[in-house]
Amino acid sequence: MWSTFVEALSHTLSWMAHGLGGSYGLAVIALAMIVRLALLPWTLRLAERGWQRQQTMLALKPQLDALRERHGKDALAYARAAQALQKEHGIAGGLGSGLLVSAVQAPLGAGIYAAIRHSLAGAGSFLWIPRLARPDFLLALAVAALTYAAITLNPAMPAQMKTALQMLPVLVSFLMVWHLAAGLGLYWAGSSSVNVLQAALLRRRVARRQS
């Protein structure tokens, strides 16, 4: 079943490349953006809920601190009291929605990566990239820049934490793409560009709520 799924994705990529003037690189980017844009209403909604949860937790911090002081070293009693307080203010304790998104994206992403890797031998060149079957340094830099932009635009991350935390995913994305075939890096770039769009849309929604 898995091989049939990957083969179907390979045929889809070939069909898209044919429709895009034979450009396999453009087909990879288009597929990445189609997948992420299809999931965007869902992931944007989850991101907005995450921001709302963060704001509620910030507002509840004085009460949580008071509970911590009241229960002292009784961690279990504090956990129960904090959970009750959060439930009272509509904060769900589970990560079900986020895990569901990951459960949908993980096999799809793995299948697309396998399909791209399977088709790289005859992929040829794209823009400045001479061979899509080999890593490309400039592409790695572009993906790192997109990752940086998405984190910088994300209103859910406190400003004082951005400098410290944003560099790790930026560095990881750069190193990963630098060691991947450029065809896979192009998929990462297409997906990252939609991440930037999502962060910008979330920022706009947050600004509207705060105005």
Side-chain angles (χ1 to χ4, degrees), residues 28-147:
V28 170
I29 293 174
L31 180 61
M33 296 187 72
I34 288 169
V35 170
R36 281 292 288 112
L37 285 171
L39 292 171
L40 183 60
W42 191 11
T43 56
L44 180 58
R45 194 179 307 118
L46 288 176
E48 187 172 11
R49 286 179 186 171
W51 176 81
Q52 291 171 347
R53 185 182 190 280
Q54 181 190 74
Q55 298 308 302
T56 305
M57 289 296 291
L58 286 173
L60 291 178
K61 189 177 182 305
Q63 296 179 60
L64 290 170
D65 289 343
L67 286 175
R68 186 176 290 108
E69 226 178 279
R70 181 187 307 166
H71 294 290
K73 295 182 179 180
D74 191 344
L76 183 58
Y78 168 73
R80 286 174 178 168
Q83 186 177 17
L85 179 64
Q86 291 170 17
K87 187 176 180 180
E88 182 184 339
H89 288 82
I91 299 177
L95 297 175
S97 298
L99 290 176
L100 189 57
V101 170
S102 299
V104 170
Q105 292 193 76
L108 183 60
I112 291 173
Y113 266 51
I116 294 171
R117 192 168 57 247
H118 179 265
S119 308
L120 281 179
S125 60
F126 178 69
L127 295 178
W128 70 85
I129 306 169
R131 289 186 61 185
L132 292 178
R134 291 188 174 181
D136 185 82
F137 179 77
L138 290 179
L139 179 60
L141 284 178
V143 171
L146 287 169
T147 304

